[in-house]
Amino acid sequence: MRASFHLFLAVAAILSQRAQAADILVATMTFGSPWMDVAKIAEALASRGHVVTVVAPASEKSDLMRKLPSLRYEFYGHPEKPPMMKNNLKTIPQAFAFSSITWLEFMAMANKMTSGLLENCEGMLSDSQLMTNLKNTHYDVVLTYPGTSCGSIVAQYLDLPLVCTLRSMPTGLDIRATGVPSPVSYIPTVTSGLTDQMTFLQRVKNTLVYFGLTTMGQVVFERSMDAIASRTIGSNFTMFAALARTDVWLYQSDVLFDFPRPTMPNMVSIAGHMADKVKPLSEELEKFMQSSGDAGVVIVTFGSMVATMPAERADMLAAAFARLPQKVVWRYAGTPPPSLGSNTKTMEWLPQSDLLAHPKTKAFVSHCGYNGITEAMHHGVPLIGMPLFGDQHDNIVRVVARGMAVSLDIHSVTSEEVYQAITTVITDPRYKEKAKFISTIRQDQPQSPMERAIWWIEHVIKHGGLPHLRSRAIELPFYQYYLLDVLALIVAVITVILLSCWKCCLFACGMCKRSRTDIKHKTS
């Protein structure tokens, strides 16, 4: 009898959980690091019993279904035609990572990336069969990574609650869509390479970069995206209006990485949500780590997009690593450099987070990709940063400001400078202390970042959206937001009062003058 009762409770619990399961639509770019961030959340949602459907290019079908079998898919486009953006993400970093580029080359690269994003969005929105299927299926919420997709426009088209996860948008569109104040006097703009402590000239630079990026974003990216939406699904759908509907913004950064800034109630930090439980290393790798003794190990990787590098740069790094008393684990897929030392182990792929968590790890030489830096912060490992492109230059500035890293220029650094930087970071206890402090603070929270992300998404689903959390600032026209009408009224009233006083004074002076004239006439 008792066993039957327990079985009944178990079945009831399972059915109850299934009854609360939601249909979640993920509409975002399905490759690159933004996709890795979203996919992690999607898998966690699926593990809780939710039905998660991903909108993806048909050319990605086999790869996605092999890597993420727990998710469902809606495909669009030609199965034999990979998205232009995917090819750009492979070729552009390799082409520009280890060479200095001019402003014109940078603009050409940005234009190529934007073209890839726009092509991907047009392929999605112009697929009438896909849009019809989405319209006829009942979804509870849309999850997207804005800036690299038109998922927000899909949510607007389907009239569904929207959750956006991101770090930031270089064009500042998220700032306008949230209605949050963002004073450039102390908030560094993306790509500015500045901190929250700026000199006068740095504030001038920050202001120019901010207005340059926001203007370019509105003129080029937003207008192009709005034009695509207009000719595919209707003129009522725009990027700004779509993002302004966002119920919750899940930001993948916090005040330990970025700098303190104003936030709105629907802006939630999920920094560190990519952190997995530490898994044991392979027997071979564990043996190598243990063989380092008290000297420890240095982990080296320049990211998944850059597997190899120019032979001269690789040999320069290898020579620096060979001089270290530490062992070195280096993700490097090219031909072993001539100066490679016996203390260095090269691998085509390495378990980065598990290695950073290992007690033998002393330092991390990195290209400063955001996920790598957050893993180093999570595990308390000091950094030697050599940024290559994109947001990596901003990333290293932030961890240097926190005192847990040093920065080197990969284009001009020498083998001696690399050796000295690694030695300094390992031997100077201040770097380890700062890294450990940040790790302790980051892990001292009542909820894990992933649990927080899931709770907010389920909170949106449960209540059918959270419009009460949105700032009314986004609804105000420019002149109202900056109180220009109020200032105009105040100036007008003050002007009328001053003119009235001036007229009264002139009238009083005239009366006095007339009275003195009348007195003179009478006395004469």
Side-chain angles (χ1 to χ4, degrees):
M1 192 71 181
R2 181 178 297 177
S4 300
F5 179 69
H6 287 165
L7 179 61
F8 169 77
L9 290 179
V11 172
I14 294 171
L15 292 176
S16 174
Q17 182 181 8
R18 185 60 188 169
Q20 295 173 8
D23 287 306
I24 299 169
L25 181 66
V26 176
T28 192
M29 188 171 71
T30 52
F31 34 83
S33 56
W35 165 240
M36 292 167 59
D37 299 333
V38 177
K40 197 78 171 177
I41 299 174
E43 283 187 295
L45 288 166
S47 70
R48 289 177 60 83
H50 299 295
V51 179
V52 182
T53 303
V54 178
V55 180
S59 60
E60 300 291 297
K61 181 176 181 179
S62 59
D63 194 44
L64 287 171
M65 296 185 75
R66 174 175 56 84
K67 292 181 178 178
L68 300 166
S70 62
L71 309 182
R72 295 186 180 183
Y73 298 94
E74 287 280 356
F75 295 104
Y76 64 90
H78 196 283
E80 302 298 326
K81 184 183 177 183
M84 181 199 305
M85 188 62 191
K86 185 173 184 180
N87 183 58
N88 290 346
L89 287 173
K90 288 181 179 179
T91 58
I92 289 178
Q94 286 288 144
F96 293 106
F98 295 97
S99 59
S100 299
I101 61 174
T102 65
W103 176 251
L104 289 177
E105 288 174 326
F106 173 79
M107 292 301 294
M109 178 178 67
N111 181 63
K112 193 172 182 179
M113 295 293 282
T114 302
S115 298
L117 290 174
L118 295 174
E119 182 220 43
N120 194 52
C121 287
E122 181 147 25
M124 181 188 299
L125 296 178
S126 63
D127 192 319
S128 56
Q129 183 62 50
L130 168 70
M131 301 309 289
T132 300
N133 290 345
L134 298 182
K135 196 80 170 178
N136 293 336
T137 306
H138 174 73
Y139 293 104
D140 297 288
V141 70
V142 173
L143 174 66
T144 190
Y145 194 107
T148 61
S149 75
C150 51
S152 56
I153 294 179
V154 172
Q156 185 186 22
Y157 175 74
L158 300 177
D159 193 24
L160 291 173
L162 175 63
V163 176
C164 291
T165 180
L166 72 162
R167 187 193 150 198
S168 64
M169 297 178 69
T171 61
L173 181 54
D174 59 319
I175 294 173
R176 293 192 293 118
T178 55
V180 64
S182 184
V184 292
S185 56
Y186 66 92
I187 298 178
T189 303
V190 176
T191 75
S192 68
L194 300 172
T195 70
D196 57 350
Q197 298 182 17
M198 295 178 248
T199 64
F200 170 73
L201 291 179
Q202 287 175 332
R203 282 185 283 118
V204 171
K205 174 186 177 181
N206 198 44
T207 303
L208 294 176
V209 172
Y210 176 80
F211 284 105
L213 286 175
T214 53
T215 301
M216 187 168 61
Q218 291 179 51
V219 172
V220 179
F221 182 72
E222 287 182 54
R223 286 188 181 180
S224 300
M225 195 70 80
D226 295 348
I228 290 173
S230 179
R231 64 175 175 262
T232 53
I233 59 175
S235 58
N236 297 328
F237 305 101
T238 66
M239 180 62 80
F240 175 76
L243 281 176
R245 297 175 62 258
T246 303
D247 292 280
V248 171
W249 299 80
L250 301 176
Y251 277 89
Q252 298 166 13
S253 61
D254 59 7
V255 294
L256 287 170
F257 177 74
D258 279 316
F259 303 104
R261 60 189 303 162
T263 60
M264 291 295 174
N266 63 344
M267 297 168 64
V268 180
S269 170
I270 60 167
H273 79 291
M274 293 288 289
D276 284 323
K277 290 182 179 179
V278 178
K279 298 180 288 295
L281 302 176
S282 66
E283 184 178 348
E284 179 190 359
L285 196 52
E286 179 64 33
K287 184 178 179 181
F288 182 82
M289 297 292 286
Q290 294 297 338
S291 69
S292 65
D294 294 335
V297 179
V298 176
I299 310 301
V300 183
T301 175
F302 287 89
S304 58
M305 292 185 184
V306 182
T308 61
M309 61 180 68
E312 181 240 334
R313 291 286 88 189
D315 198 49
M316 179 275 296
L317 291 173
F321 301 154
R323 295 175 58 190
L324 295 170
Q326 289 80 23
K327 293 290 182 76
V328 178
V329 179
W330 184 7
R331 182 189 180 272
Y332 187 75
T335 303
S339 300
L340 193 71
S342 59
N343 67 329
T344 305
K345 180 182 180 64
T346 59
M347 303 175 66
E348 290 191 8
W349 176 88
L350 51 80
Q352 181 173 282
S353 182
D354 301 329
L355 285 169
L356 290 173
H358 199 282
K360 291 290 184 179
T361 298
K362 300 297 183 181
F364 183 32
V365 178
S366 170
H367 67 303
C368 305
Y370 179 69
N371 286 335
I373 280 188
T374 55
E375 287 175 357
M377 295 174 76
H378 182 78
H379 297 300
V381 179
L383 281 139
I384 299 89
M386 300 185 204
L388 302 176
F389 51 81
D391 65 345
Q392 296 163 14
H393 296 281
D394 278 344
N395 295 345
I396 187 59
V397 166
R398 281 157 171 73
V399 286
V400 167
R402 297 302 179 210
M404 62 170 285
V406 297
S407 179
L408 300 174
D409 184 352
I410 188 63
H411 304 110
S412 60
V413 69
T414 65
S415 182
E416 176 65 22
E417 289 171 336
V418 173
Y419 169 76
Q420 291 295 340
I422 297 174
T423 301
T424 299
V425 165
I426 293 175
T427 57
D428 189 336
R430 290 176 298 178
Y431 292 99
K432 181 62 179 178
E433 288 169 3
K434 290 289 186 180
K436 193 65 180 175
F437 172 78
I438 290 172
S439 173
T440 302
I441 295 292
R442 266 215 165 177
Q443 297 186 47
D444 185 17
Q445 46 186 314
Q447 241 180 345
S448 74
M450 182 59 79
E451 288 172 342
R452 188 156 53 249
I454 299 303
W455 186 90
W456 275 100
I457 294 171
E458 292 180 339
H459 190 55
V460 170
I461 294 169
K462 181 179 179 181
H463 299 286
L466 304 173
H468 61 286
L469 295 182
R470 298 181 202 144
S471 168
R472 292 291 174 257
I474 56 179
E475 301 172 5
L476 301 178
F478 178 84
Y479 70 90
Q480 288 185 13
Y481 182 84
Y482 289 102
L483 295 175
L484 299 183
D485 52 347
V486 175
L487 290 174
L489 175 63
I490 293 172
V491 170
V493 170
I494 292 174
T495 302
V496 169
I497 293 172
L498 291 177
L499 285 174
S500 299
C501 292
W502 176 250
K503 288 293 185 182
C504 289
C505 290
L506 289 178
F507 179 76
C509 290
M511 291 297 293
C512 291
K513 186 175 181 181
R514 192 175 301 137
S515 298
R516 286 197 297 270
T517 303
D518 291 343
I519 292 172
K520 285 181 181 179
H521 284 312
K522 289 180 181 180
T523 54
S524 60

